[in-house]
Amino acid sequence: MWHLITAPVLLPMLTALLIMLPPIHYSPMRRRWVSMISSAIQLVLVVSLLMQVQQQGLIHYAIGNWQAPFGIILVADTLSVLLVCLTSFLALGAICYGSAGEDEKGSFFHPLFQFQIMGINGAFLTGDLFNLFVFFEVLLIASYALLIHAGGKNKTKAAVHYVVLNLTGSAIFLIALAVLYGTLGTLNIADMAEKVALLPADDLMLVKSGGLMLMIVFALKAAVLPLQFWLPATYASASAPVAALFAVMTKIGVYALLRVYTTIFGANAGELSGIAADWLLPAGLATIALGAVGVMASQDFRKLVANLVLLSVGTLVSLVALHTELSAAAAIYYTVHSTLVTAALFLIADLIASQRGKAGDRLVSGRRVAQPVLLGFMFMLGALTVAGLPPFSGFVGKLMLLQAVTEPGSRIAIWSLVLLSSLLVIIGLSRAGSTLFWRISGSDTAGEKAAPLQIFAVCWLLLASPLLVIFAGPFTELSQQAAEQLYDTRSAINTILHSGVVEGGKQ
Amino acid sequence: MRFKPKFGWLPTPYRSVLLFIVWLLLNQSIEAVHLFFAAVLAVVIPLLTLRFRDPQPLIERPLLALRYILRVFADIVTANAQVAVLILGPKRRLNPAFVRVPLDLQHELPITILASTVSMTPGTVSAEIYPSAELIPAGEPMPQRWLLIHVLNMTDEAELIASIKQRYEAPLKEIFQC
Amino acid sequence: METLVACCIGFLTACGIFLMLRGRTFPVMLGLTMLSYAVNLFIFTSGRLTLRGAAVLGTSEQYADPLPQALVLTAIVIGFAMTAFLVILAIRARADLGNDHVDGKLPDADVVRKESR
Amino acid sequence: MQNWIEWAVAFFLLLGGSFVLIGSIGLTRMPDFFMRLHGPTKATTLGMGGILLGSMFFFSLSGGVSVHELLITIFLLITAPISAHMLIKTALHHKLKAISKTRGLDNIEPAQSKQHDRKPLP
Amino acid sequence: MLDKVIMLVFAMISVALLLNLWRLLRGPSLPDRILALDTMYINSIALIILYGLLMGSPLYFEAALLIAMLGFVSTVAVCKFLLRGDIIE
Amino acid sequence: MTLLWILLLPLLGSLVPVFTARWNRSACALATALPPAFALMLLLYHADAILAGGSVRFFQPWIPLLGLDITLILDGLAFLFALLILGIGLLIILYARYYLAPRDSMPRFYAYLMLFMTAMLGIVLSGNLLQLWLFWELTSISSFLLISFWWHKAEARRGARMALTVTGAGGLALLAAFLLIGQLVGSYDLQQVLASAELIQQHAWYPLILVLFLLGCFTKSAQFPFHFWLPNAMAAPTPVSAYLHSATMVKAGIFLLARFYPALSGTELWFVLVSITGLATLLIGAYLALFKHDLKGLLAYSTISHLGLITLLFGMGTDLAAVAGLFHIINHATFKASLFMAAGIIDHESGSRDMRKLNGLWQFMPITATLAMVAAAAMAGVPLLNGFLSKEMFFAETLHQHLLGSLSWVIPVLATVAGVFSVAYSMRFIHDVFFNGQPKGLTKTPHEPPRYMRVPVEVLVALCILVGLFPGYLIGDLLQAASQAVLPGEVPYYSLAIWHGFNLPLLMSVLALVGGTLIYVNRKHLFDFQNTLPDVDALNSFERGVKQFAERCSQLYQWLDSGSLQRYMTLTLLSFILLAGLPLTDLVTLWGGRAELPIDAVNATGATMLLIAAFATVVWHRKRVVALLMISVVGLMVSIAFTRFSAPDLALTQLSVEVVTIILLMLALFFLPHKTPKQSESSRVVRDLSVASMVGVIVGSLSYALMTRPFNSISDFFITNAKTGGGGTNVVNVILVDFRGFDTLGEITVLGIASLGIFKLLTRIPLFKPSSDGDGRPWALERHSLLLSTVSQSLLPLAVMVSIYIFFRGHNLPGGGFIAGLVTAVAIILQYIAQGVDWVKARMNVEYQRVVAVGLLIALATGAASWLFNRPFLTSWFDYFDLPVLGKLELASAIAFDLGVYVTVVGSTLLILASLGKMTTSHRPVHKETI
Ligand code: NA
Ligand code: NA
């Protein structure tokens, strides 16, 4: 049972490998079912891991039985496991959607999807900065491959930009890692946090340089202005289930920002405490503004949703920049909510596009969708949620984030931006919705109806929205707990570095 | 000329011997462990890579082959000394040339060995073997093949051709019995 | 020596970056390759320079820091995988988009004719 | 004994070094590609042989035997002619000019043209 | 004495490498450059072997062996590229 | 709990029509009416307690962290509104049963209506600010659905969106106000907030709070200048208008004014903002209503005007004015709902709402006409009807205020003017529709509506009359209770009598009636005058505004996001320069105090070669093959540097990777142009050069600073434990396969995924094979050289042996699975190069992706095997065995792991190169003129 923490990484990997091998490889149905069942099992496992963490507090697992800081450790605290749960939940929906036929439009859909999940979960769980890099690369390479799934010019074009920028990002990541290793002499995040406090004055600025370099990397992953340019085209051109899964990718950047700048450069870092906030807040706010502008500017629905992703990233990054427990709690709730709803919207966009004939998801008048009531309902639910309107999860997220801004200085800026951007989103979405569903031209030839599996997938993701409201009490509580645990760096370090280490590393 | 090996499990005996020696050379040891592994690998690797080998005539006269190798070694040393002199000497004294040597050999391995030898020895480099077997339509008989060589400093063309044929090609024909 | 190495790393980085800023996929690939060289050297030097100290036990007194070496190895492999992907992606882009510009379109329509292989 | 080996090491190293250098001088100095090819393929090969022999003796100096350098030598002997062959093929394909006093230039013609007579492969 | 010999040989190899580089930069034809690169590969084997001697360590042998092998493959590949364009056909 | 049910019943009721849709229309309507009817009964169940001045409260914690709990309060004010909402709602359900055409989706309509009803009830019952806001936004959303019910009509869509936008914006302002209040008071509980008037009003935020709050109220209640959405919402079916614009939606803003009256009113600012807005709205609405030819348009502006009136009453700040406001809320709801319904009947039965066409309907529908006339009279403030009473109170209050000092007389005068227009438009409604000659150009002959369609109007008109006649008896208690809830102190004395004697307010009423009649009679001139004024089409200008805004956004966005990778890269690098470079400027000296190693000539040569080759690569990057050769030199020199600085493993890996990369690049080059056209302008080159060199300087400096600093790291642990804990002497390898084996697992996964991705990229690629090289030279005809084929065949076993050797020694000496794998792969690639894909395929028909999977599986299984021994994943194991003859042998789990690495590397590399190579073999059209 104590190996459970490895499941989110190893189970998807195993699944991917099994799908690549006979006998599963031969039949599309087998590939689908193995992928879906494995994801379902994974969801069960990670939820039980969450319960384990709730009971025991922070769990750490020394891979290879080499204790931190020498070996690589996996760390499960409420935050990381929550995000792993989110990923698993999302992945199950996306895989189901993909299994309705999208998966056969190119090779290796399911293995790549599983690898992607492996990378994401690994990035959430690892307690080692270099290992974080490795998992970043795993998820990136898988995302490159998934991005071009089903082919097409737009995908190729977007992929070139996405890949080159991320490769640059990886290079910067490596340089940052080298600078941090070269000054702190360690790679373990907790150990770095401890070493930063004892840093000689001479090395301070080097570490700062390295620390800020990391910010570029994470901001690039999170798509924060001015490093966000890859996102709209990438997300808008990817196949629907892939785009849905991508919804969580930006959150990894946010997670890494949250983790690194509270643990390593947190309250105990002395002069280096909070080095990121000055840069992150303006960048986050600018991203919100850009996202809102993008929502208004979008000519097709997927682009619009991609800009909604940007907007949510901006919001999250601003919250991270506020650097309080309350803001972290808000960020955590908001992450879960916004990831699921944007993912659902990507899927809905795909359904709409496939039913509107030539018009696709472009915001022009077109054929009537084949299932107006169903899609309209889904759209409505998704739109309300993402716009932060009641009664769905968006408004809880919005209330939480607005309440998290307690500092009078930033309040005016953040509130007005958030509220104004909400208004633009409302306008943009109402325009989009009325165009997609109501502006009808041409004959009413019925398009292809959505497959039951697709409908299930969308409902699965959308289901989260009301649930997050109904159980908002416990859930906000959980976010709060996660934030508290995140900010309790001292005890995390003590647990990871100073508990049960036997001389010589092996226990 | 034979293509078929004597033992199924040892399809290329000379290659196995070579591999055996190479393993020992790599490990620089003749301990039992290494001898054991050398033997195992010397058998296993040829079997593994057997399919990656087009059928070639077998060496029928190993001793002759050994002598051939020694002769080539000696030629390499002299060749190099000669070339060194030519390189360092005045350029205008050089008389480069392209020369065609008619080939009696037919099979790939002997031709390759010949061409390589020519390249390693006095002032010559193999440039081309033509016509290429690829370009002969299937079923047509193989025409006379030629070896085109570049000579750094040629004194007498006929003598050069004769020396190559006699010094290298003839022994090879002997060794492979072809 | 450190100065020299640092200069080399800086220069390689600059060259790599310059190439990556070109508009065609091939120079970008070259630049990326060069940037990885620079980055690998950089990681390597974060363990400081050591002569005669390969981290093989029993071969010397003072060992070089083995950890950055291991990190570089990982980085090399990952970099290789990424470069490989980018290379093939560039081919794909050429096939799909008809040119090798990183933006998928030539900056000037007239150039299309001029650009022969 | 020791001394003798040291001398041998020095001799072989110097011999090797000189040949390597001569090969590269040839590469620099010769007037056309075909002539430049001779230096590296031959002189360098022997030069390497020298240096590797020197190395073998050197490591024998400190006790054990060192024979694996032989492998590199063997390897180079096998591959150098092939590299040279491929290079010269490429040069011929690129129709590089040999210096004018080269004899037998017409011999190149059949090697190239005979192939062109044939109908090309798909 | 050996140290001095080794340094001398080092110098020779270095000069050889610089000459190779010169040819590589100078060209004029592609085969010339490839030849220069091939020679450079082989000369660096010598360099590495010499390093091994200098440090008295046999750890560098594999690097030399690998250069020999890989240098060959890359030379062949470039030639094939110039001849046929498609190196794996 | 009953409170909760009052709210939940309509909510559940929204599902009822969906499930009863298959029944007949009446049954569906009846079923839909049941839940609100029950809710009304529950409400009336509390009537006694409420009318006696009490209140009922329900509390259920929900999100304590946010201060958002389910709190419901039923007091007089809530009761009054809930009564209107449910009562009129029921009438609307009945009315809509007849109004909706068979092709309109009745269940959809009823569902939206119920949803809206729930939202309204939620607003009035809320005892928590955030919860109130929740329902507030819900009304915006459900009204959007209702207004756009006929979505196929452009004006319905637009009107709905406009309403949503305006009220949505107000809602956001309201949220901000609520949050500020909440943070100020420390609670979102309504009762606590209402009790903290002093705290709020004296705080510096009060003006901001008030403005935001009023923005919310005024947008919802269509106060000037936000009134424009309301007339455009008339595109909705008439039952919707009747409901939303009489008793509910627009009254929500008024409700809020009343609700927060105790907490926010009583200040100068309140008065100025609220009363002036109200007054302006009153006048503008009344004036504009007269000119609308559309029946519903007239009613819409009249609604705006009446809402202005109520707002003005609440703005005056006197207790009596507030009471009058509440009274008018009731009266307006009744007569306006009935008027809308009457208009709907007219529309329904005559096919038009245009008063220019509608004339003389009295002859066709006398009963409806009578009802409409009574209601319109109430609207005009004719005595003996309810409208008269509240209007009298209003006039009286305008006289009693002294808010504008010496100019206070302006308010009653303007109020009278508004009254005049109100009479005028009411007269128009009656005269122009029911009399004034014969109908013109109607598509059908008008007639009376179905019996039950008239019932709701009859009920409401009856109420107008009854309240007008017996005000105290009928609604005295209700008004009292509501006033008590609104007013902080005692409710002042007021009289609901019909007759107060001859006084100024009566005079004002008479003036209004007379003036209104005069104006209506002489309307021609006024209409002519009005026609000379520019016509403001709110709907189109709003639509155009939004469109223009979207275009601006689009321009801005495209300006920012130009689609140029070079720009993105530059921005990324500039961030790097800024973030990584700035801290360095604070560094006193880069040198960290460690003595440098001496430079020797060989190293200098190597460095020179590296620099020259790198430079040459850049200079010649457009001659692609040359650049490729140059970069090989760089790679070679880097490998040599690794050798020099004691990293043999790195050198080996770098070398093998480089060769594979070069081969790959060459494969790519075959399909890419061999030369790059010169394109970059010199300014761009200068820019790029400066960015690149700045990055280079920063990276170089960082590297120098690191190298010259003293250093302590965790590495000593690895050196100490490599042999004892990991069983190997090559520390780097032990780190790779043991200490940090997890990284390696990830790394080979990356490699495996990359190969899958590449395979994916190459499937169905529309490629053309160029027929000649960059200089136009046709390709050589001979595919495979005889010499190369023969030699490569003989090299394969040798290479396999070498890789086995490298594999096994890796744990103790430089080498290992990765390098061994690459050596094997390169040897096999050599076979591909020398003999071609078909030759190799005939001899080794392996699907390489399977090899990759097997390799990764081996590594994974090795790691998982340690679970069997109850050790963490990837825990290594090794032991020494004494074998007879062979001697001591070491066996380690790391070897199995390394085997996984080896297999993966071979599989991935071959998958990559072979699939790329295979691409050209499947006969593709040879492309002469490549772009
Ligand atoms: Na020769
Ligand atoms: Na009329």
Side-chain angles (χ1 to χ4, degrees), chain F residues 574-611:
Chain F
L574 285 177
S575 321
F576 178 86
I577 293 170
L578 201 64
L579 291 173
L582 269 189
L584 293 186
T585 55
D586 291 343
L587 213 55
V588 184
T589 164
L590 278 180
W591 188 61
R594 213 162 174 256
E596 287 198 35
L597 297 171
I599 302 181
D600 60 52
V602 183
N603 289 322
T605 314
T608 316
M609 292 183 66
L610 179 93
L611 294 176

Side-chain angles (χ1 to χ4, degrees), chain E residues 48-61:
Chain E
I48 286 180
I49 295 286
L50 281 179
Y51 274 141
L53 294 190
L54 193 69
M55 298 179 204
S57 158
L59 293 175
Y60 301 94
F61 159 72

Side-chain angles (χ1 to χ4, degrees), chain B residues 116-126, chain D residues 38 42:
Chain B
S116 295
T117 314
V118 167
S119 287
M120 294 315 298
T121 47
T124 48
V125 176
S126 301
Chain D
H38 287 267
K42 282 181 280 283

